[in-house]
Amino acid sequence: MKGYVFHGPGEASWEDVPDPGIKEPTDAIVKVSAVTICGTDLHILKGDVPEVRPGTVLGHEAVGEIVETGGDVRTVRPGDRVLLSCVTSCGRCRYCREGVYGQCLGGGGWILGHTIDGTQAEYVRVPYADLSVHPLPGTLASEDAVLLADIFPTSYEVGVLNGRVRPGDTVVIVGAGPIGLAAIATARLFSPERIIAVDLAPARLEAARRFGADAVADVHEAPHQLVADLTDGLGADVAIEAVGVPDTFELCTRVVRPGGHVANVGVHGKPATLHLEDLWIRDVTITTGLVDTYSTPTLLRMAAAGRLPTGQLVTHTFPLEQMERAYDVFSRAAETGALKIVLGGEQHELAVPTA
């Protein structure tokens, strides 16, 4: 089969790789019908995730069809259309029993495209299939469903829920890429008073308005002053970091009010300064986290009911075999206007012209 293989920082290619097979009785083999590219994949290519070994097939988000199952798999069978979760759960260890699947001690957690071959291929082996894939309703299109593998549960759990967004809050979301936009959409479920989006790309700030941001700010134009002006000097109740660079994390700590929450979602490849000389007296809560995907069944029901704007994030689609072109477009998002790219599924005209 073909897969997108990581060969080291800055090097990857769409090439022949061995077909996956059943290794454990809890495995399933899935024929991939739709897959997307995550910002984390770009971090891997930059060398920010050294645990990924050369020779690994990348990707941790997909929709597909079960083609084979191990003898212990009970909840899905060949022919079932499923969503593959970005996080795998053994279901038995302490963390899985507490619903903290991202920290699984039994061979799960974030493993697809990380410590084992991932989803950016024609077929993929999924360990612990009973707990790590979700049957899909026929009414949910593949390009909508695939966004529920990672970015929507990540934004919702690590950003909105960890940040304790409540009715009447002022929420600042730093970064209006796919994760930030999904955070805007899911924060709106809690009726905040206002959502302020911060980014450096005008196209992404415009997208933030479409997704429901009440105000937007260019990161180079004193966003902390805008937040202060809109909150009578108090600051944001919740600041969500959705980029993964030191400056954006530090901005979140500056715009949050005393007693507020900073929820870090971004994947960081470099140290950020924690200004405890300012923060120690302000009762600020800072959370980090890898998504656990415990919310995926809820989000799936909401998406099937038309309550989540999943498809609005998809700006480009490509056939699966055009993986290298898709990576190029996604990596140049400032030029191409790319938000989420879906490979496979139904093809349509590009929403934003590529450069």
Side-chain angles (χ1 to χ4, degrees):
M1 70 169 187
K2 295 285 190 179
Y4 192 67
V5 181
F6 173 70
H7 291 293
E11 299 182 20
S13 63
W14 180 252
E15 61 188 67
D16 290 325
V17 293
D19 292 346
I22 298 292
K23 293 184 178 181
E24 301 291 341
T26 52
D27 289 350
I29 305 299
V30 177
K31 181 179 181 180
V32 173
S33 59
V35 68
T36 185
I37 303 170
C38 181
T40 302
D41 297 321
L42 298 184
H43 281 281
I44 292 171
L45 285 174
K46 291 177 183 177
D48 290 344
V49 189
E51 299 85 5
V52 182
R53 294 174 297 181
T56 301
V57 175
L58 296 183
H60 50 269
E61 307 159 272
V63 168
E65 178 183 323
I66 301 285
V67 295
E68 185 181 359
T69 59
D72 289 349
V73 176
R74 296 289 181 266
T75 61
V76 291
R77 60 186 180 181
D80 285 351
R81 179 170 167 263
V82 295
L83 170 71
L84 280 63
S85 175
C86 66
V87 165
T88 303
S89 167
C90 80
R92 297 190 298 267
C93 71
R94 172 176 174 173
Y95 284 115
C96 286
R97 288 178 177 273
E98 294 175 354
V100 187
Y101 308 125
Q103 303 301 323
C104 174
L105 298 172
W110 173 36
I111 57 175
L112 291 171
H114 183 205
T115 58
I116 68 171
D117 285 337
T119 60
Q120 290 170 3
E122 294 175 318
Y123 293 87
V124 60
R125 179 180 72 92
V126 182
Y128 302 116
D130 278 332
L131 294 169
S132 305
V133 302
H134 302 269
L136 288 174
T139 56
L140 193 58
S142 293
E143 70 178 38
D144 293 332
V146 74
L147 301 189
L148 300 172
D150 184 354
I151 66 163
F152 269 88
T154 293
S155 300
Y156 183 55
E157 295 175 18
V158 186
V160 174
L161 296 184
N162 278 4
R164 306 280 182 90
V165 175
R166 297 178 298 180
D169 278 354
T170 291
V171 180
V172 174
I173 297 174
V174 180
I179 287 287
L181 296 176
I184 292 171
T186 51
R188 283 171 55 84
L189 300 172
F190 292 84
S191 300
E193 179 181 1
R194 65 176 66 86
I195 297 174
I196 304 167
V198 180
D199 203 284
L200 50 76
R204 291 197 164 186
L205 292 176
E206 180 57 36
R209 288 192 183 276
R210 294 198 305 270
F211 271 74
D214 301 288
V216 299
D218 186 299
V219 72
H220 298 303
E221 297 179 357
H224 57 282
Q225 187 59 54
L226 172 64
V227 174
D229 291 345
L230 292 175
T231 60
D232 295 326
L234 186 64
D237 300 284
V238 182
I240 297 175
E241 198 284 333
V243 180
V245 297
D247 287 348
T248 53
F249 174 78
E250 292 171 29
L251 174 60
C252 286
T253 64
R254 292 198 300 274
V255 300
V256 72
R257 68 168 174 82
H261 288 75
V262 173
N264 183 88
V265 187
V267 177
H268 289 262
K270 296 180 180 179
T273 301
L274 182 63
H275 288 283
L276 286 176
E277 74 279 11
D278 298 323
L279 294 171
W280 74 270
I281 201 170
R282 294 175 57 208
D283 298 341
V284 172
T285 298
I286 298 174
T287 57
T288 65
L290 174 68
V291 64
D292 295 310
T293 67
Y294 61 82
S295 68
T296 302
T298 298
L299 295 173
L300 271 172
R301 292 194 300 272
M302 295 178 66
R307 303 295 187 185
L308 290 177
T310 50
Q312 296 178 34
L313 271 170
V314 179
T315 54
H316 299 72
T317 62
F318 294 97
L320 195 61
E321 62 269 18
Q322 292 188 16
M323 187 69 69
E324 292 178 348
R325 182 184 173 205
Y327 260 89
D328 176 63
V329 170
F330 188 61
S331 67
R332 296 185 296 111
E335 303 169 43
T336 64
L339 292 174
K340 287 299 283 185
I341 289 175
V342 173
L343 296 102
E346 297 182 3
Q347 302 301 301
H348 57 71
E349 293 297 318
L350 301 184
V352 179
T354 60

